[in-house]
Amino acid sequence: MNFLPVNMVCETKMVADEEMPGSKNDAIVSSSQMWPAPGSPPPVAASSGAPSPGPPSSGSSSPEEAEGGEQKQLKAEAVLIREFQPSDQASVCRIFYHGIMERIPNTALRGLKQQPKILLFYSCLTVMCFYLTKSSLLTCCVPTLLLGARYYYSRKVILSYLECVLQTDMSDIEQYYMKPAGSCFWVAVLDGNVVGIVAARGNEEDNTVELRRMSVDFDQRGKGIAKALGRKVLEFAVLNNYSAVVLGTTAVKPAAHKLYESLGFKYVGVTEHYVLPGMNHSILEKMFFQLRYHRYRLLLREE
């Protein structure tokens, strides 16, 4: 497979996904044209120098609404998606670290409702405690102890996973993502600071590219940065003639899954009791730490 150089898809500003001037980007189809937002009308080509048309209005808008739209546009224009540079290493690792650390309470607490068998098991333990002790006080302490154990083991496993990842691909992004053909790593820059990351890793065997390592600073979310990063990977896949983009996630929050669906990904399955690198498979670990691995796929063209 002939790959295009990855620098053809860098330095793209999030200006309502317009094309950048210059011969290099003239042939690139903007990501908003390839993947329009659900319910939005087909994009209309705008002549050079003319403002791009906005979405149709369902009625008259107030000056406050117009001003709010202008402010969002200004925020979008300030975000730059560009290729990773060696000087970004510390910022990239920081964003990745904090993004993964958020999984600790999410997995320990929110993830419990996705584990009905474990919930039933914990309920049986609580009832058994009351049956054996006849103490309401001790019985009320059981759920707290169980949740505390879940948090402890979630933290233990996820820290081990972080240690593994930060010593492998995230320790040498240049070597792992920038040098191999068909792979790349991008950062989102806002006001001169790196605030988001995403990677693409090509697989020649099945002609797919994997979306990996997507994360955005907590205080910069809600600005469309994650979606812009995702669209960059899709654009990269199209330019390099991949047939599909795939991803896997252990995210518990529904917002993450809605993001992938908004980009056009289709849910293809889940692996229960997923094993992370760094797990030791002890009985207590299995009892208090469970992950579900969700798989998504976006078909770009038929092989």
Side-chain angles (χ1 to χ4, degrees):
M1 175 172 27
N2 295 324
F3 294 105
L4 297 176
V6 294
N7 61 6
M8 288 188 67
V9 289
C10 67
E11 303 296 333
T12 302
K13 284 188 179 180
M14 208 173 77
V15 190
D17 295 306
E18 293 177 352
E19 295 180 5
M20 293 288 288
S23 58
K24 181 182 292 186
N25 290 297
D26 286 342
I28 298 178
V29 179
S30 68
S31 54
S32 62
Q33 291 173 316
M34 290 188 287
W35 300 277
S40 63
V44 180
S47 60
S48 177
S52 58
S57 173
S58 58
S60 60
S61 60
S62 65
E64 291 79 6
E65 290 175 338
E67 183 179 354
E70 291 176 359
Q71 290 176 349
K72 288 182 180 180
Q73 179 68 14
L74 289 174
K75 286 182 180 179
E77 290 176 353
V79 178
L80 174 70
I81 309 297
R82 63 164 172 79
E83 280 188 10
F84 167 84
Q85 297 173 359
S87 59
D88 301 325
Q89 182 70 38
S91 297
V92 166
C93 287
R94 173 188 59 79
I95 293 171
F96 178 74
Y97 176 86
H98 288 298
I100 295 297
M101 288 295 286
E102 289 180 29
R103 302 287 177 90
I104 295 175
N106 290 338
T107 301
L109 306 178
R110 292 190 181 95
L112 185 56
K113 65 182 181 181
Q114 299 178 353
Q115 305 288 340
K117 293 181 179 179
I118 295 297
L119 269 175
L120 179 61
F121 175 67
Y122 291 170
S123 299
C124 291
L125 288 178
T126 304
V127 172
M128 187 181 299
C129 176
F130 180 76
Y131 178 78
L132 295 174
T133 65
K134 306 299 183 184
S135 170
S136 299
L137 180 61
L138 288 176
T139 303
C140 290
C141 291
V142 171
T144 302
L145 292 174
L146 292 173
L147 291 178
R150 286 185 64 85
Y151 188 90
Y152 170 80
Y153 279 98
S154 292
R155 188 174 189 277
K156 179 177 178 291
V157 171
I158 287 174
L159 284 176
S160 297
Y161 167 72
L162 269 172
E163 184 178 357
C164 291
V165 175
L166 292 175
Q167 290 178 358
T168 52
D169 63 298
M170 295 299 287
S171 68
D172 194 348
I173 293 170
E174 186 76 23
Q175 182 67 33
Y176 197 86
Y177 291 107
M178 302 306 294
K179 290 184 179 179
S183 298
C184 196
F185 197 104
W186 297 272
V187 298
V189 180
L190 179 64
D191 297 330
N193 299 313
V194 175
V195 297
I197 61 173
V198 74
R201 182 76 172 173
N203 185 351
E204 291 189 29
E205 292 182 3
D206 57 2
N207 195 30
T208 63
V209 63
E210 182 184 7
L211 186 153
R212 314 185 73 201
R213 308 305 187 211
M214 181 188 283
S215 188
V216 176
D217 268 337
F218 182 81
D219 57 353
Q220 300 297 337
R221 294 172 189 172
K223 300 179 179 179
I225 297 174
K227 182 170 285 189
L229 288 166
R231 285 175 171 171
K232 174 57 69 176
V233 175
L234 303 186
E235 182 182 273
F236 175 81
V238 170
L239 291 174
N240 286 285
N241 297 316
Y242 283 107
S243 60
V245 183
V246 299
L247 68 87
T249 180
T250 58
V252 174
K253 288 185 176 181
H257 298 271
K258 289 180 180 178
L259 169 65
Y260 303 137
E261 291 169 359
S262 72
L263 287 168
F265 284 91
K266 303 298 182 184
Y267 189 76
V268 294
V270 61
T271 301
E272 301 285 352
H273 304 292
Y274 182 68
V275 177
L276 279 178
M279 294 180 67
N280 59 21
H281 310 289
S282 68
I283 294 177
L284 288 176
E285 191 175 85
K286 292 177 180 179
M287 185 184 300
F288 295 113
F289 181 81
Q290 303 86 30
L291 273 181
R292 305 177 83 212
Y293 184 76
H294 306 270
R295 299 185 302 278
Y296 286 86
R297 183 181 183 90
L298 193 160
L299 185 65
L300 299 175
R301 59 184 176 83
E302 297 289 347
E303 284 292 333

